[in-house]
Amino acid sequence: MGKQNRFLRRVAAAAALSLATGCGMASGSGTRADRPIVVGTTSAPSTLDPAGSWDGSWELFRNIYQTLLAYPDGAVTPQPDAAKSCAFTDSDNRTYRCELRSGLKFTDGDPLDARAIKYSIDRIRTIHAPNGPAGLLGSLDQVQTRGGHEVVFHLKKPDATFPFVLATPAMSLVDPHDYPATSLRTDLSVVGSGPYTLSSYQDGKQAELVRNSHYQGFADRQNDAVTIRYFHDSAAMVAALRSRAIDVTYRGLAATDIVNLQAYHSSDLQLIDGTGININYLVFNPKAPWARIPAVRKAVAQIVDRPAIAFKVYQGTVDPLYSMVPAGLTGHTAGYFDTYGNPSTSKARKILANAGITQRVPLTFWYTTDRYGSETAKEFEELKRQLDASGLFTITLKSRPWKTYVAGYQRGEYPVFGRGWFPDFPDADNFIDPFVGTHNTLGTPYSSPVITGKLLPDSRAESDRGQAVEDFEKAQHILVDDARLIPLWQGRQYIAASDDIAGGEQALDPSTIMMMWELHRKASW
């Protein structure tokens, strides 16, 4: 796992995207330097309670809650945040001890002590929300406190990835007095201990963050306040950037916008172009009449033209992906290309014929309208075009907004559906484990005893992740053979910002979550 290379490239926008020049005064009262930095994104939280989210809500959580471990600027492995120090205390990675910083407090002034740590972790497992992160704690046996500042995690089995789990926003620390032990908090308030306090929140529209005076941790805040605005599409977000209603865009930029930003010169706009490890893929429901048939899934895998999707729909702003483990991570393979090669209708027809299927196969593909960017609909239209053109399939497309979309696949309503994955942590384990097993992040059971019972446990016994490569390769071979999950593309990370904004190139942690505190206005503006 190397540090993701990020570099700042000054680009120009086309005339339609050019920003108005000026000396630094914004419309309305106050100078731009006095105003909060406004960040636009198409990834709105699904909940404000960490125990209920295993999705893009983590973007907000990272900034308003705190975790025992996190990623200080430049770190590629978890480092202490609420903790003063953490380490395995045994040779087989089964006992993990953390000592807390002194004087930690939640935003309401309550102490953040060892009891609060245990409470926060235990309630995740107790609630076990359908779309929650309890699956990340599969190796945890129990949490023990020793006094007010020491927490010991006892694991059921060796797990070298456990520090990475503790560093995810899923393990955000909450105040026992404000968060029920057995149910999710459903109001729109937050009591955390992160760099910022959530001063106000409008569901799906806006989150206002202000500096938390009680915060103790690694974050060196470069600003006093950040406002996050949530958009339903890229066009509205870019229009807001152009009018200076927002200062920064992150997650959801359309490919056309990125290409325009790369192609033209303007001194008023900058683009940060960074390596990404987020992936996009299809999920097949094993209970659906046609999707449950291996030959049907393999025939789809044989026809899908990933380069056409990457270049025709996304205009080269994403890369074709042939494994659930993205390129750049230790253990990556190109299993789908090795098995299926280039798209071939004749090979797909043979796969179906060998299974006794000679009719056109009807499948319904579902996608979400407001989570992964404006190209999602075009991507699924391209998938439909490819599969319909083969003469082997008849594809129907359906869609829903994210919140109802999640509920639908959790109930098993979709035969085939699209998902994106922004990793919990930068390790191959996190591109395999979340998707397999009886309880997984997809809400679609995927039994694979070899993966869950041998390969992943064996890999977690290796503190040196390079020694786990063979286990990851074998797991990927099984995923390819089952074709329950079909990878489509691997993303890159783009941040577009006004030219007076600095810190964007340091703002993404190794899991590509934005650390808002790194953003600031240039003193020379």
Side-chain angles (χ1 to χ4, degrees):
M1 300 181 297
K3 179 181 179 182
Q4 297 179 51
N5 294 319
R6 302 189 179 99
F7 56 94
L8 178 64
R9 181 172 57 193
R10 186 73 53 85
V11 298
L17 294 177
S18 294
L19 303 182
T21 59
C23 60
M25 293 296 293
S27 59
S29 61
T31 66
R32 287 183 60 80
D34 293 334
R35 296 172 56 216
I37 291 177
V38 184
V39 178
T41 176
T42 60
S43 184
S46 59
T47 176
L48 296 182
D49 190 330
S53 170
W54 198 347
D55 59 26
S57 305
W58 291 8
E59 200 83 56
L60 178 60
F61 295 173
R62 174 61 80 202
N63 294 277
I64 58 176
Y65 291 105
Q66 194 172 19
T67 46
L68 281 169
L69 302 166
Y71 298 94
D73 184 35
V76 295
T77 56
Q79 304 296 319
D81 187 11
K84 178 180 178 181
S85 63
C86 288
F88 281 106
T89 60
D90 59 344
S91 59
D92 60 353
N93 299 330
R94 293 186 59 170
T95 304
Y96 196 72
R97 173 188 175 276
C98 290
E99 181 181 354
L100 304 185
R101 295 175 186 261
S102 297
L104 292 172
K105 293 181 180 180
F106 289 103
T107 52
D108 61 359
D110 287 346
L112 197 174
D113 54 14
R115 184 180 73 89
I117 304 293
K118 174 177 170 58
Y119 184 90
S120 298
I121 304 301
D122 284 347
R123 78 183 287 267
I124 293 172
R125 298 199 295 170
T126 299
I127 295 172
H128 210 299
N131 200 41
L136 285 171
L137 295 170
S139 65
L140 179 62
D141 183 19
Q142 62 173 317
V143 186
Q144 177 186 12
T145 61
R146 295 175 179 171
H149 291 84
E150 185 177 347
V151 183
V152 181
F153 299 91
H154 297 281
L155 309 183
K156 303 172 186 175
K157 50 194 174 183
D159 187 359
T161 71
F162 191 71
F164 289 92
V165 172
L166 291 180
T168 68
M171 303 300 127
S172 293
L173 307 176
V174 299
D175 190 337
H177 295 121
D178 296 284
Y179 288 78
T182 59
S183 63
L184 295 175
R185 183 170 174 166
T186 57
D187 66 346
L188 298 181
S189 298
V190 163
V191 179
S193 61
Y196 299 99
T197 297
L198 184 65
S199 63
S200 70
Y201 181 75
Q202 299 176 59
D203 190 20
K205 295 181 179 180
Q206 183 168 290
E208 294 185 10
L209 283 56
V210 297
R211 182 183 287 249
N212 175 13
S213 60
H214 291 300
Y215 173 70
Q216 292 188 62
F218 72 83
D220 181 11
R221 290 163 292 188
Q222 300 297 307
N223 60 67
D224 291 325
V226 173
T227 296
I228 305 173
R229 287 186 55 191
Y230 301 109
F231 293 85
H232 292 292
D233 60 70
S234 176
M237 188 165 66
V238 170
L241 180 66
R242 189 179 79 187
S243 68
R244 291 191 179 275
I246 63 175
D247 302 298
V248 182
T249 66
Y250 180 56
R251 296 216 196 280
L253 276 176
T256 299
D257 299 324
I258 296 168
V259 170
N260 284 340
L261 294 174
Q262 291 171 331
Y264 298 93
H265 178 70
S266 163
S267 61
D268 297 310
L269 200 64
Q270 57 179 313
L271 186 72
I272 297 161
D273 180 353
T275 302
I277 53 174
N278 59 296
I279 66 172
N280 185 275
Y281 57 99
L282 293 176
V283 182
F284 287 77
N285 185 347
K287 295 184 179 180
W290 286 103
R292 66 186 297 272
I293 301 172
V296 170
R297 303 194 298 263
K298 293 178 180 181
V300 172
Q302 183 63 72
I303 291 172
V304 169
D305 188 339
R306 293 168 179 82
I309 294 171
F311 294 100
K312 184 176 178 180
V313 176
Y314 290 94
Q315 302 182 62
T317 60
V318 303
D319 298 310
L321 182 63
Y322 298 91
S323 168
M324 290 299 290
V325 177
L329 290 187
T330 300
H332 165 76
T333 69
Y336 269 90
F337 187 82
D338 296 339
T339 298
Y340 297 101
N342 292 318
S344 172
T345 296
S346 61
K347 290 181 180 179
R349 182 178 289 109
K350 184 176 180 180
I351 291 171
L352 292 172
N354 288 342
I357 301 171
T358 56
Q359 67 183 92
R360 288 182 75 124
V361 177
L363 286 174
T364 300
F365 280 30
W366 282 82
Y367 63 92
T368 180
T369 57
D370 58 354
R371 170 59 64 168
Y372 305 120
S374 304
E375 274 85 10
T376 304
K378 296 177 183 178
E379 174 184 346
F380 276 78
E381 289 166 3
E382 174 61 17
L383 284 167
K384 172 179 169 60
R385 186 197 67 76
Q386 293 175 11
L387 292 164
D388 284 351
S390 72
L392 304 176
F393 293 91
T394 299
I395 305 300
T396 300
L397 298 181
K398 292 187 178 181
S399 61
R400 285 176 176 169
W402 177 250
K403 284 193 174 182
T404 54
Y405 182 74
V406 171
Y409 71 66
Q410 292 286 350
R411 291 192 295 264
E413 294 179 5
Y414 312 149
V416 186
F417 60 96
R419 272 294 305 261
W421 183 248
F422 291 90
D424 306 322
F425 50 85
D427 188 277
D429 181 284
N430 196 236
F431 289 87
I432 300 173
D433 176 68
F435 313 128
V436 297
T438 303
H439 300 287
N440 59 46
T441 188
L442 301 172
T444 306
Y446 181 0
S447 177
S448 182
V450 175
I451 293 178
T452 58
K454 177 172 174 52
L455 297 177
L456 289 178
D458 287 353
S459 73
R460 289 171 181 165
E462 299 289 351
S463 296
D464 180 353
R465 306 308 287 152
Q467 297 300 312
V469 167
E470 184 176 351
D471 294 319
F472 292 139
E473 290 177 345
K474 289 178 179 178
Q476 288 170 87
H477 289 320
I478 293 172
L479 294 178
V480 171
D481 189 56
D482 291 343
R484 284 278 307 277
L485 308 167
I486 297 182
L488 298 174
W489 52 262
Q490 176 176 345
R492 303 176 197 161
Q493 294 306 312
Y494 296 92
I495 300 173
S498 299
D499 192 58
D500 67 321
I501 297 296
E505 61 271 32
Q506 289 89 34
L508 302 183
D509 75 8
S511 297
T512 69
I513 292 175
M514 181 174 278
M515 302 177 290
M516 303 292 180
W517 58 86
E518 295 284 357
L519 302 173
H520 59 279
R521 300 191 191 280
K522 297 176 182 177
S524 60
W525 179 260

